[in-house]
Amino acid sequence: QVQLVESGGGLVQAGGSLTLSCAVSGRTFTYYVMGWFRQALGKEREFVAAISLNGGNRYYVESVKGRFTISRDNTENTVYLTMNSLEPEDTASYYCAIGRAFSVAPPLSNYKSPSAYTYWGQGTQVTVSS
């Protein structure tokens, strides 16, 4: 079956950095757009970033541009989220997800919605202290 396992979360001071990993099994990883979302306590799940099949294109929510980088290693079936200059507002559970396959690949901006994804990880908590 499909499994997505996130790791790398933790407690960090404002201004610090963390790198999240998401290992995927049960799917041919290179066929799918991958995304990261986050959900803060009491809030809706929010799109963070998406990356194309070969990693050549990336799309970010405005609030993380210049601070976060999404990347993928197709030989390791793993997608990463490197987070720098973390702020208390980044505190949330972070989830990776596998994008839906389309016969004609839409632009990455179409992957902002959770409905554009089929499988999700269990989440990893990131807490940024001020």
Side-chain angles (χ1 to χ4, degrees):
Q1 72 273 22
V2 180
Q3 281 193 317
L4 295 84
V5 179
E6 300 104 333
S7 60
L11 174 63
V12 64
Q13 288 190 330
S17 299
L18 282 174
T19 294
L20 307 182
S21 301
C22 172
V24 179
S25 60
R27 275 291 185 270
T28 305
F29 185 69
T30 53
Y31 288 177
Y32 301 97
V33 166
M34 295 297 299
W36 283 98
F37 284 73
R38 65 186 179 186
Q39 188 165 17
L41 199 62
K43 295 190 176 181
E44 291 190 355
R45 191 164 295 192
E46 175 192 31
F47 169 79
V48 176
I51 188 166
S52 61
L53 277 60
N54 64 2
N57 290 312
R58 301 165 186 184
Y59 185 78
Y60 300 94
V61 67
E62 194 66 33
S63 60
V64 308
K65 282 182 181 177
R67 300 189 299 123
F68 290 11
T69 301
I70 188 171
S71 60
R72 64 192 295 164
D73 185 338
N74 286 347
T75 65
E76 296 291 334
N77 287 7
T78 301
V79 61
Y80 303 96
L81 185 69
T82 300
M83 306 182 293
N84 297 317
S85 302
L86 281 161
E87 303 167 355
E89 292 74 23
D90 296 316
T91 295
S93 290
Y94 283 72
Y95 300 85
C96 63
I98 296 176
R100 294 187 183 279
F102 296 92
S103 56
V104 177
L108 283 182
S109 56
N110 284 32
Y111 287 90
K112 290 184 296 185
S113 169
S115 64
Y117 297 82
T118 53
Y119 294 97
W120 296 79
Q122 82 290 348
T124 187
Q125 178 66 34
V126 172
T127 302
V128 184
S129 64
S130 57

